[in-house]
Amino acid sequence: MRKLVLLIIIVMLAGLLFSSSCYNIHFDKPVNTEEIKVVSIDSLYYFNAFELNKAFHASIREDIDDQRLYVTLYNQQIIFLINSPYLQASSDFYNMTYPLKYHSGKMYLPLTFFQRVFPELFKENFIRQKDFSIHVKTPIDNSIRRIVLDAGHGGKDPGAVGRSTGTREKKIVLDVARKLKAKLQKELNVEVILTRDSDKFVSLQNRTKMANDTHSDLFISLHCNASRSKKASGIEVFFLSTAKTDEARAVEALENSVVSKYEGGESALKKYDDLSFILMDMEQTEQLRESSDLAVRLQKSLVSVSGLKDRGVKQANFYVLRGAFMPAVLVELGFITNYKEAKLLSSSNFQDKLVNAIAESIRKYKYKYDFVQ
């Protein structure tokens, strides 16, 4: 009896000891080590799949309804099936020997993923492995870490002004930018830079220069729309292009007029026109596609929470976007020349709705594009 009790105690202690064990990921440059916690499930070695995010900055998405786990690691998407030892990468299938487990509300991968699959799947990034560790090349971190929020206008440039309410665009967008900064930093753990944090004038060129100089990952310019028609209403989001619909031309002229009014007239306009080569370069990169993706997400979310008219996603040649070497969009939050919308835009509660919608769009966008190469 004593031997049986002693054996049980030894097994329990061994279980406790193992439950606190780790599998070590050794990276080459810079030389560092990440620990992945290992647990025992059905007497087999497993680890929480989200440990891959901590160690590799991998993008991970669960789909419980579809019984799948999606992981993007070293720019390679892997699809795991719950309760199956098989995974798919591109058109190839790999066998981990033991299945992916959904246990206590979490996804667990068998340690054999590292021992059997990793060396074959990531041959170019694999160096060597030992009993309880693996040596790999350091992944390039492409995750979104820094965002620039551009509160349009400011200082001597009031932006659009509501004729019947006296509401000024420069104040509304600054209020929204401040609230959005606080929310993003708290909930997404990103650095947020404001092009202006007070009622001051900043040239369009210096706004995007700030984003480039700080190596930011996103640029979002916030504005309120205006029209000669008091009935004009709704939300629209723009990204950069030479394409010009009649509607886009009108908004483009409105937002670009700050250059001739407040930045020096014709000489300043030439300075911006000399930047046209940037647009040509951007059209050959992923920036435009990613800007379009972000614009679509923002438009859908903003219209949904605001209840305002959906004016759609459009393209225009905004000076403030032309110099940005990262995904960039311009958001028109509503018409300040529309009495009803001007009142809403001045409301703290309505601003909170807009902030929540923008933050949620950025969260989903970040979730999609946070991956490593």
Side-chain angles (χ1 to χ4, degrees):
M1 187 65 178
R2 287 183 177 179
K3 289 183 177 180
L4 179 59
V5 172
L6 182 61
L7 179 60
I8 292 173
I9 292 174
I10 291 173
V11 171
M12 291 177 64
L13 288 173
L16 289 172
L17 177 63
F18 176 73
S19 67
S20 63
S21 297
C22 295
Y23 189 81
N24 294 316
I25 311 294
H26 300 290
F27 296 106
D28 59 346
K29 297 175 183 178
V31 178
N32 70 310
T33 301
E34 289 284 350
E35 294 183 339
I36 287 182
K37 294 179 181 179
V38 180
V39 299
S40 178
I41 301 176
D42 298 333
S43 301
L44 296 173
Y45 297 174
Y46 276 84
F47 65 94
N48 188 330
F50 280 82
E51 292 276 305
L52 294 174
N53 177 267
K54 182 192 74 173
F56 292 91
H57 304 291
S59 171
I60 302 175
R61 177 169 65 88
E62 295 179 347
D63 191 335
I64 303 301
D65 294 335
D66 204 26
Q67 296 285 290
R68 281 175 167 79
L69 176 71
Y70 298 85
V71 176
T72 302
L73 183 63
Y74 287 110
N75 207 23
Q76 172 82 13
Q77 186 182 69
I78 311 168
I79 303 174
F80 299 88
L81 298 177
I82 297 176
N83 296 322
S84 170
Y86 292 96
L87 63 92
Q88 181 182 357
S90 297
S91 58
D92 298 321
F93 291 86
Y94 299 83
N95 189 350
M96 300 183 292
T97 306
Y98 302 111
L100 165 69
K101 291 279 189 180
Y102 187 66
H103 181 74
S104 299
K106 298 178 181 178
M107 296 279 195
Y108 285 91
L109 287 169
L111 202 58
T112 50
F113 168 73
F114 285 117
Q115 298 166 339
R116 296 177 182 273
V117 177
F118 196 101
E120 184 179 357
L121 181 57
F122 300 109
K123 292 177 182 178
E124 295 181 359
N125 300 290
F126 171 75
I127 298 175
R128 63 182 180 276
Q129 66 176 309
K130 294 184 178 179
D131 292 340
F132 232 61
S133 67
I134 191 169
H135 293 250
V136 298
K137 292 182 180 179
T138 305
I140 299 172
D141 187 357
N142 286 330
S143 58
I144 295 170
R145 296 179 179 276
R146 186 176 294 113
I147 299 171
V148 169
L149 297 179
D150 172 42
H153 311 279
K156 61 185 178 181
D157 173 17
V161 179
R163 291 187 291 270
S164 56
T165 61
T167 309
R168 294 192 169 198
E169 177 184 5
K170 67 175 183 177
K171 181 182 185 308
I172 290 173
V173 293
L174 181 58
D175 289 343
V176 172
R178 285 171 172 167
K179 290 181 177 183
L180 183 56
K181 175 182 179 179
K183 188 174 183 67
L184 291 175
Q185 290 187 155
K186 179 181 178 181
E187 297 184 3
L188 297 187
N189 193 30
V190 294
E191 179 186 359
V192 179
I193 299 170
L194 298 183
T195 56
R196 65 181 184 92
D197 193 18
S198 62
D199 184 18
K200 66 178 182 181
F201 179 79
V202 181
S203 72
L204 300 184
Q205 189 174 24
N206 283 336
R207 293 169 190 261
T208 44
K209 182 178 185 299
M210 189 181 302
N212 292 330
D213 289 349
T214 55
H215 304 287
S216 295
D217 303 300
L218 290 179
F219 180 85
I220 299 173
S221 191
L222 301 171
H223 293 262
C224 297
N225 221 331
S227 173
R228 291 181 179 178
S229 170
K230 295 180 181 180
K231 294 182 180 180
S233 63
I235 289 175
E236 54 193 349
V237 181
F238 292 84
F239 64 101
L240 189 63
S241 174
T242 53
K244 295 184 180 183
T245 63
D246 289 339
E247 284 186 308
R249 285 177 186 271
V251 182
E252 177 185 308
L254 175 68
E255 300 300 350
N256 288 347
S257 64
V258 59
V259 178
S260 57
K261 287 182 179 178
Y262 303 107
E263 293 188 32
E266 292 300 322
S267 61
L269 286 171
K270 185 179 185 305
K271 174 183 65 177
Y272 285 99
D273 288 338
D274 288 343
L275 293 174
S276 59
F277 72 91
I278 293 175
L279 177 59
M280 295 172 60
D281 180 67
M282 284 186 65
E283 288 178 334
Q284 299 172 3
T285 70
E286 289 290 292
Q287 307 293 1
L288 233 55
R289 181 180 65 83
E290 293 178 12
S291 296
S292 172
D293 188 358
L294 178 58
V296 169
R297 292 172 186 272
L298 286 165
Q299 180 71 18
K300 182 178 180 180
S301 186
L302 283 166
V303 169
S304 176
V305 303
S306 69
L308 299 185
K309 179 181 176 180
D310 184 355
R311 297 177 66 87
V313 172
K314 299 170 183 176
Q315 294 179 265
N317 189 8
F318 291 109
Y319 289 141
V320 74
L321 299 183
R322 284 173 67 169
F325 288 112
M326 72 284 300
V329 295
L330 186 144
V331 183
E332 296 284 1
L333 297 169
F335 278 77
I336 205 167
T337 47
N338 178 298
Y339 181 80
K340 179 182 176 181
E341 291 189 5
K343 284 288 189 181
L344 286 173
L345 289 167
S346 300
S347 162
S348 180
N349 288 338
F350 187 76
Q351 289 177 9
D352 289 341
K353 287 184 178 181
L354 298 178
V355 165
N356 290 337
I358 296 172
E360 178 63 11
S361 300
I362 294 173
R363 185 188 69 79
K364 290 180 178 178
Y365 177 90
K366 176 175 164 59
Y367 190 76
K368 176 179 179 179
Y369 288 99
D370 269 10
F371 62 86
V372 291
Q373 293 182 339

